[in-house]
Amino acid sequence: MAEKIMTAEERAQALKEITGETETATGQKTAFSEETSQDSDHTPNELLEMYRSSNERRSASEIKTYKTIMGVLCAIVAILAVAVVVVSVGWITEQGTIVTEIETVEIPTVVTEYIAIDPTSEYDHELGSDTFTLSDSNYGTILMYALQSVGKNEYDETCFIIDEETGYITYDDGETYSIMGIDVSVYQGDIDWDAVKEAGVEFAIIRCGYRGYVTGTVNEDANFKANIKGATEAGIKVGVYFFSQALSVEEALEEAEFCLELVDGYELDYPIFFDWEVVIDADGDTARTAYIDPQQLTDNFLTFAQRVEIGGYTAGIYANKKTAVWKYDLTRVDDYTMWFAGYTDTPTLYYDLQLWQYSSSGSVDGISGSVDLNIAFVTR
């Protein structure tokens, strides 16, 4: 395209726009205008082109600078983001390792070789034609069909004799007879065991410890050592019981270990009894095992019993009628000593029993206040 020819006025105007020429009040030009006017080597169009090129170079330089700055800022933001992620992951991971410190019980590895718990989710035990009744506060009398494979209570009701003066019960059917016993804990206070022996007591089941039904802590009975020492020195045969509130086989094992430590050095004539009971707290606290499943309770007892046996002792269950029938699978525990609690004139448990706690308000010389009365059945 041919170069456009500018008029003198257009060139003058262009030069003013390019150079920013201004006139003073006296009509003098600026020094820059003078220098430009003296430059006779460039045409006005060339000057315009130079101006545009200079602006373009300056703009390109500024853009490049801006890009460099933005790149640096983006890099800093990216580094900060990565740092935040790393710190966050580290913090979360670290928090995940924080656990509340709890007391643990060392379980001998040999124990696991003997604990063979095989619970079943279905209750498919064979029932016989025999029936018995249970009384429930909500449903009244309930008819129960007996488990066919579990031993039956065959004691002759006519052979139980009650002493009207003392309230003591004895039994003798010619083949089996009873001996008198008591069970005690810290609630009986200090006991004169020689006087107890003179009163005719032949055995005592002594509480060695208990698990808190709310806190779950394992504790020794405050009078255990004094009671077992006093009873054995007086010539009274002894056994012990532990009030259990175990929720699992691990806790039941802990309870068994605790009992074994307490009876270490003593020869027991009667079992170490597992005493689980329904707890009704007057203050409204719910016992930790209030809703324990019967299979879990049975598993807990079997674990407790097998550990006790490994320690060289025998095990038994303490239970009333409802607990025995509704909370234990009796087909799995029939081989163990049953210590039955029922405050009637004769033992009302349908199934077999070896000890019977028949009163919680007995009186025995050497003990101030009430004491539980028991008999043990002995075969001649």
Side-chain angles (χ1 to χ4, degrees):
M1 179 180 294
E3 185 179 283
K4 181 180 177 181
I5 304 301
M6 299 177 67
T7 65
E9 293 180 356
E10 288 174 340
R11 284 197 298 273
Q13 183 63 33
L15 284 173
K16 288 180 180 181
E17 291 176 356
I18 293 171
T19 63
E21 177 186 285
T22 57
E23 292 185 359
T24 64
T26 59
Q28 294 180 340
K29 296 181 181 180
T30 62
F32 181 79
S33 298
E34 292 175 354
E35 291 177 0
T36 305
S37 62
Q38 294 174 2
D39 189 353
S40 60
D41 293 335
H42 301 287
T43 65
N45 287 341
E46 288 176 338
L47 291 173
L48 287 173
E49 183 61 28
M50 290 171 62
Y51 177 71
R52 284 195 299 270
S53 298
S54 175
N55 283 342
E56 287 177 358
R57 285 193 299 271
R58 184 167 56 252
S59 297
S61 178
E62 290 176 352
I63 291 172
K64 184 176 180 181
T65 301
Y66 293 152
K67 286 183 178 180
T68 302
I69 293 172
M70 290 302 296
V72 171
L73 290 176
C74 290
I76 292 173
V77 170
I79 292 171
L80 290 175
V82 171
V84 169
V85 171
V86 171
V87 171
S88 299
V89 171
W91 183 84
I92 293 171
T93 303
E94 180 64 21
Q95 296 305 305
T97 64
I98 298 176
V99 297
T100 302
E101 185 177 352
I102 59 174
E103 294 183 2
T104 57
V105 177
E106 292 186 4
I107 301 175
T109 55
V110 67
V111 175
T112 58
E113 299 177 7
Y114 294 88
I115 297 175
I117 305 302
D118 183 23
T120 175
S121 60
E122 297 182 3
Y123 191 83
D124 57 359
H125 305 305
E126 187 174 356
L127 302 176
S129 58
D130 295 337
T131 61
F132 59 93
T133 60
L134 284 176
S135 178
D136 182 76
S137 58
N138 294 319
Y139 297 100
T141 301
I142 301 173
L143 184 67
M144 304 286 296
Y145 281 89
L147 294 165
Q148 194 169 32
S149 62
V150 179
K152 309 301 186 291
N153 174 358
E154 297 181 350
Y155 299 112
D156 186 344
E157 290 187 356
T158 64
C159 295
F160 288 94
I161 307 299
I162 301 176
D163 186 312
E164 297 297 335
E165 182 179 347
T166 63
Y168 298 164
I169 295 178
T170 58
Y171 178 85
D172 194 335
D173 63 10
E175 294 183 358
T176 302
Y177 66 97
S178 67
I179 60 175
M180 180 181 178
I182 58 174
D183 61 272
V184 299
S185 68
V186 67
Y187 298 111
Q188 276 65 54
D190 296 332
I191 298 173
D192 182 346
W193 285 100
D194 290 328
V196 170
K197 175 67 173 178
E198 289 296 322
V201 173
E202 298 190 48
F203 72 91
I205 310 300
I206 302 168
R207 187 175 79 159
C208 64
Y210 62 94
R211 184 186 289 276
Y213 62 84
V214 175
T215 63
T217 59
V218 175
N219 308 276
E220 178 181 348
D221 185 286
N223 280 18
F224 170 66
K225 289 184 174 66
N227 282 336
I228 194 169
K229 182 176 184 293
T232 53
E233 288 180 351
I236 297 174
K237 295 181 179 180
V238 297
V240 302
Y241 74 92
F242 183 90
F243 179 80
S244 173
Q245 285 288 288
L247 291 172
S248 63
V249 294
E250 289 79 13
E251 287 191 349
L253 187 59
E254 176 188 10
E255 294 173 354
E257 296 281 357
F258 188 75
C259 290
L260 291 174
E261 289 181 8
L262 291 177
V263 302
D264 185 36
Y266 291 97
E267 292 186 8
L268 303 183
D269 302 287
Y270 287 84
I272 298 177
F273 287 97
F274 184 83
D275 173 16
W276 180 90
E277 302 175 33
V278 174
V279 177
I280 301 175
D281 191 281
D283 296 329
D285 290 328
T286 301
R288 68 202 307 266
T289 60
Y291 306 105
I292 192 169
D293 180 86
Q295 292 297 340
Q296 183 64 63
L297 180 60
T298 304
D299 289 350
N300 291 352
F301 166 70
L302 289 174
T303 301
F304 180 93
Q306 291 182 43
R307 180 64 188 99
V308 163
E309 291 170 346
I310 293 171
Y313 298 90
T314 59
I317 292 176
Y318 170 88
N320 61 22
K321 188 194 298 186
K322 286 184 181 179
T323 300
V325 174
W326 284 346
K327 297 300 288 186
Y328 283 102
D329 181 350
L330 294 178
T331 64
R332 299 171 64 199
V333 301
D334 191 35
D335 293 335
Y336 292 93
T337 300
M338 173 61 71
W339 177 16
F340 171 64
Y343 306 147
T344 53
D345 293 344
T346 61
T348 57
L349 182 65
Y350 179 84
Y351 300 104
D352 196 17
L353 61 143
Q354 291 73 46
L355 282 79
W356 175 33
Q357 183 189 84
Y358 62 86
S359 175
S360 62
S361 57
S363 178
V364 173
D365 290 343
I367 299 176
S368 59
S370 319
V371 65
D372 296 338
L373 299 176
N374 299 266
I375 60 174
F377 298 96
V378 180
T379 303
R380 283 188 171 87

